[in-house]
Structure formats: C-alpha cells, structure tokens
Amino acid sequence: MKMKNNSQGLPSRMPDNTAFRQQRLPAWSPYLTAWAVLPGFFTTGAFFLSMGILLILSAKSVKEIEITYTDICSDCSKLRENASNFYKECTCSVPFFIPEKMPNVENCAPFQRASNEIPIAPCGAIANSMFNDTILLSYYPNSTTRINVPLLSSEITWWTDKHVKFQNPESRNLSSAFAGTAKPLYWTKPVYQLDQENPENNGFLNNDFIVWMRVAALPTFKNLYRRIHRIGHFADGLPAGDYSFDISYNFPVTIFKGKKGVVLSTVTWSGGKSFFLGGAYTVTGAMTWLAAFSMTAIHLKLKKTISFQSLKLAKVKAKVERDKRRDVFRTSNTWVRTTGRDCRD
C-alpha cells in the first residue's frame, strides 16, 4: 500500500479516499422473503419427485430373466479347481424358458510378472479375473429345430473408453507389439488373440476387456456381454419359447464362493433395471418438499405472532399520538388565555 505523510510529517497508513478502498462501491444484496424462497423449494421438490417417479417406473418396465449357472455347471467348476485340468475345454448346456416376449504398474502386484519374470500384459488382479466364459444362445421354435440367436459384441462399451482411454501399442502387428510379455495367469489366450474372427477387436481394444476393466463399486454387479442382432426370427426381439445356453466354463468362482449368471434384459430410455437413481431423485424431492412445508408452517405461525404484536404496537402508538395531541391542545388553550389576559392588562 502506498504510504502518505500526515500533517505532522509522519507516514500514514490510512487508505486512499476512493470508493474501492473505502468500500463504497454499489452492491446488490437480495432481500429474501418467505414468498420468494418457498416457491423455489416447491418447484425443486416437484422436479426431483417427478424425475424419481419416472425413473422408478422406467426401471420397473424393464424385463429381466436371470439364469445362474454356477451350480448347473458344477462338473466344469470341479474340473477347473484342479490345476492340471485348467486349460481343458468344458462346456455345459443350460435350458430355460422365456414366458413372454422381450423387446499404473506397481499397482499390478502380485500379477505384475510371470514366474519367469516376464511382464504380464495386461497386468493386475482385475485383468487377471476377466470374465472369459463363452456363451451361445439357442432358440427352439419346436422340438426338432434349433436356431442360434445372433449376438453382437460391438457397441457394448462407452465411446470414451473405446476411443480415448484404451489404446493399443503403435504397431501393425499386435503379436510383435506384445512380444516379450506373458498373458495373465487365468487367461487361455494372449491379449492379441482374444477375437480370432475380428482382428480389430484384439489387444487393449477388445470390447469384453474394456467392459470388464470398468470396475463395479459393489461385489454384486452386471456387465454387458452381448447385444441381440435383430434379424430374421429376432427382428422384434426374443420371441416367447424354449431356449438354452451353451457355456464354455473357463473361470472358476466356487473357490471364493462366487456365483455367475446370465441376465436377459430389455432396456428403456433410462437404461437397464436400476432403482438407485430413481430412489435418489425421489428421496431428494421428498426431503425438499418436507423442508418447504416446514418453512411454510414456521412462516405462517411467526406471521400471526408478528401481526398480533404489530397490532398491539399500532394501538399503543395511536394512543400515544392521541395523548400528545390532547396535551398540545391543552397547552395551546392555556397560552391563548394567558396571552389574552396580558393583552387586557
């Protein structure tokens, strides 16, 4: 701050006499009244309640059929528990019925390097436990006919994950790009051979790998596996009837008491079946409305009290004013009489 000398020649710390330094700048201070604040609370509460109800109704309209195949494929599970049989092929069939139509490297330990000290790609426990069962869905329009339901593995990932977050090494040949690395311990194929039919769906850009690497927050979760290709018999979705799953059981979960299952589900404008978002909106709206009603009740109660006190104060002021006018009138009459007597004298 610039120093100035006062009248005695000593330096002064007084700020300049300006509007900014003396805090005389014009400012707007909102005057919040009950009738200005309460409509905002009611409107916000109505919005959240409406969104919550819509999301809950949308989630309820989703149709799901869950088939847990851990116990059904128990033979494959026991086979996988023996390390010597881990890489043997094991397939089990799961029949079911659809009743209605359905429209950083240090963090990788202990999965950072293989036993021969070769780095693992991709490393880490999440990548190592990637879901790698193969599931084929079949439809039986009658007892003698079997139709494989066409499934698509494309467009099951987030766009940002596919095009921004995950990238393959810059090389024309993925096998040479991943030379000098080992596959995860529980994988049956290296990362550059995950999809034999589509070369573009290999490496770190494999759709199943990207979906699995988006870790769920809770121990019970669902990941998108495939989309139904709407052609032929399935142009309008899955017709009602008999179906079966042919599952290549590759990863055991009974060791840590886990379970695996398949969920057939429809989707709505809000996504799959989840009541969390709808419940969050509903609770927020209800709490907002509760606060709004509470403040309204308090305001009306205080308004009556203030109005009664104001009425009493107004009566007291009116009485005081009448008394003042009466005293003034008396003083004026006395002055007039005194003046008149002085004049006569």
Side-chain angles (χ1 to χ4, degrees), residues 126-127 129-131 208-215 221 223:
I126 299 174
S129 61
M130 174 181 165
F131 180 84
D208 293 329
F209 174 73
I210 293 175
V211 170
W212 183 258
M213 291 303 291
R214 181 167 284 278
V215 186
F221 57 91
N223 279 338

Side-chain angles (χ1 to χ4, degrees), residues 137-282:
L137 178 60
S138 300
Y139 171 54
Y140 298 89
N142 51 62
S143 58
T144 59
T145 306
R146 171 176 176 170
I147 302 175
N148 292 329
V149 180
L151 302 177
L152 298 175
S153 62
S154 60
E155 298 181 7
I156 63 174
T157 64
W158 290 21
W159 187 92
T160 52
D161 289 349
K162 184 74 173 181
H163 299 86
V164 179
K165 186 176 181 180
F166 290 87
Q167 297 291 332
N168 276 329
E170 295 183 0
S171 177
R172 295 182 179 180
N173 190 348
L174 278 181
S175 60
S176 61
F178 286 98
T181 63
K183 64 179 180 60
L185 301 180
Y186 290 168
W187 284 25
T188 58
K189 302 175 182 179
V191 67
Y192 52 86
Q193 292 181 354
L194 293 178
D195 192 341
Q196 300 289 344
E197 299 179 358
N198 184 9
E200 300 295 330
N201 190 33
N202 280 310
F204 296 148
L205 293 180
N206 179 263
N207 292 318
D208 293 329
F209 174 73
I210 293 175
V211 170
W212 183 258
M213 291 303 291
R214 181 167 284 278
V215 186
L218 301 176
T220 302
F221 57 91
K222 301 174 186 176
N223 279 338
L224 182 58
Y225 179 71
R226 291 293 183 270
R227 297 184 301 113
I228 296 176
H229 193 190
R230 296 178 178 271
I231 57 174
H233 293 82
F234 313 101
D236 296 326
L238 294 178
D242 293 318
Y243 291 82
S244 70
F245 280 125
D246 292 326
I247 301 172
S248 295
Y249 199 99
N250 296 320
F251 188 81
V253 295
T254 54
I255 302 174
F256 50 87
K257 298 181 180 180
K259 290 185 177 181
K260 294 188 291 185
V262 182
V263 176
L264 300 176
S265 174
T266 60
V267 293
T268 62
W269 62 271
S270 61
K273 190 172 185 178
S274 174
F275 294 99
F276 174 78
L277 193 58
Y281 270 96
T282 304

Side-chain angles (χ1 to χ4, degrees), residues 28 53 57 85 89 91 116 123 147 149 171 178 200 211 223 231 255 271 275 280-281 291 323 335-336 338 344:
W28 177 74
I53 294 173
L57 293 176
N85 300 324
E89 190 74 18
T91 302
N116 52 3
C123 67
I147 302 175
V149 180
S171 177
F178 286 98
E200 300 295 330
V211 170
N223 279 338
I231 57 174
I255 302 174
F275 294 99
Y281 270 96
D323 292 342
W335 182 81
V336 170
T338 303
R344 288 195 298 269

